[in-house]
Amino acid sequence: APHIDWLAQNVSTGATVGVDGAVLGVAAARALSDALKARGVKLRTDLDLLDSVWPQRPSLPTAAVYEHVAPHASVSRADKLDQIRRAMQEKGAQWHFISTLDDLAWLLNLRGADVNYNPVFVAHALIGLDRASLFVVDGKVPAQLAESLARDGIKVESYAKAADALAALPNGQTLLIDPRRITFGLLQSVPASVAIVESVNPSTFFKSRKTDAEAAHVRATMEQDGAALAEFFA
């Protein structure tokens, strides 16, 4: 990456580069660390210097999360969780941590309004073989929706508790993560006694395999999109 090359070329030996590990992907952190280490430069990921110079920093989005229901959700949340858990067992993992917003929206049949023009919401999820936790900003999940999630074995917890949940994983168990889709800071929370399996998030593949009903929804959407585009051209 150009910024990594620039840092490696311009930072003096013995210096330190600081970056907030909470927003730096694992794969990116490794690439940066390797490039700097080769030049004798230290990488610090345990501080966020912007906090001290940005007092009016916006908070996380607070728009409500809502359920994606039938007929548009043609596969239930429970069935999707079963798919994920089978993939976890195939890889020998008892836990799977997800941070990518599209994976969360697909897996949990939930939608939000935290990103412009995308129906997703900011959250993390820790999936176990018999239970799961959704870490989201307080107040974003209405009580009725929280009850619906609870019926599928999903507990709604505060967004800030995700790191603590990783730190509390049982000794000797295995966590499945995608190094391109989790931050370095969160991974640092995982105890050394917990084994880590790195692989593409199973949901990445499952999302790509459309059911007949999902394919029909895509076609209907494309018809509306084509009509809108033709109207614009006209």
Side-chain angles (χ1 to χ4, degrees):
H3 66 284
I4 293 178
D5 295 339
W6 187 92
L7 285 168
Q9 293 168 8
N10 291 276
V11 178
S12 302
T13 299
T16 299
V17 171
V19 61
D20 182 9
V23 296
L24 182 66
V26 172
R30 289 172 178 168
L32 180 58
S33 178
D34 290 346
L36 295 178
K37 189 182 296 182
R39 294 294 304 270
V41 176
K42 182 181 177 182
L43 176 66
R44 279 192 64 179
T45 59
D46 60 339
L47 73 170
D48 179 7
L49 296 174
L50 289 178
D51 267 349
S52 61
V53 298
W54 194 2
Q56 281 83 37
R57 192 174 193 172
S59 61
L60 287 170
T62 57
V65 174
Y66 58 95
E67 195 144 21
H68 185 58
V69 297
H72 297 112
S74 57
V75 181
S76 72
R77 180 161 51 233
D79 287 344
K80 290 178 177 179
L81 283 166
D82 284 342
Q83 285 182 280
I84 295 296
R85 285 169 171 145
R86 286 196 298 271
M88 290 163 55
Q89 289 175 311
E90 289 172 4
K91 296 183 181 299
Q94 295 82 38
W95 301 93
H96 176 38
F97 191 76
I98 306 172
S99 291
T100 31
L101 310 190
D102 52 334
D103 287 317
L104 291 169
W106 175 86
L107 173 61
L108 302 176
N109 281 349
L110 299 177
R111 298 293 186 266
D114 290 356
V115 179
N116 289 339
Y117 312 111
N118 286 276
V120 295
F121 58 99
V122 175
H124 304 287
L126 181 61
I127 312 298
L129 295 178
D130 58 1
R131 63 186 188 276
S133 294
L134 174 64
F135 303 96
V136 63
V137 171
D138 293 340
K140 286 177 67 72
V141 178
Q144 187 174 357
L145 178 53
E147 292 173 5
S148 175
L149 291 166
R151 287 193 290 271
D152 286 320
I154 302 164
K155 182 180 180 182
V156 176
E157 303 197 55
S158 295
Y159 184 81
K161 291 185 177 179
D164 293 337
L166 288 172
L169 287 174
N171 294 342
Q173 297 208 335
T174 300
L175 173 69
L176 170 64
I177 60 112
D178 186 336
R180 293 176 299 173
R181 295 175 173 88
I182 180 178
T183 65
F184 185 76
L186 282 170
L187 187 61
Q188 291 293 96
S189 301
V190 179
S193 59
V194 172
I196 293 175
V197 173
E198 296 187 4
S199 178
V200 174
N201 282 341
S203 44
T204 299
F205 299 114
F206 296 144
K207 284 186 304 180
S208 70
R209 300 167 184 155
K210 305 302 182 189
T211 65
D212 290 342
E214 289 169 336
H217 294 320
V218 172
R219 293 188 185 99
T221 300
M222 291 298 98
E223 288 173 2
Q224 294 183 44
D225 179 74
L229 192 59
E231 183 179 5
F232 173 75
F233 288 153

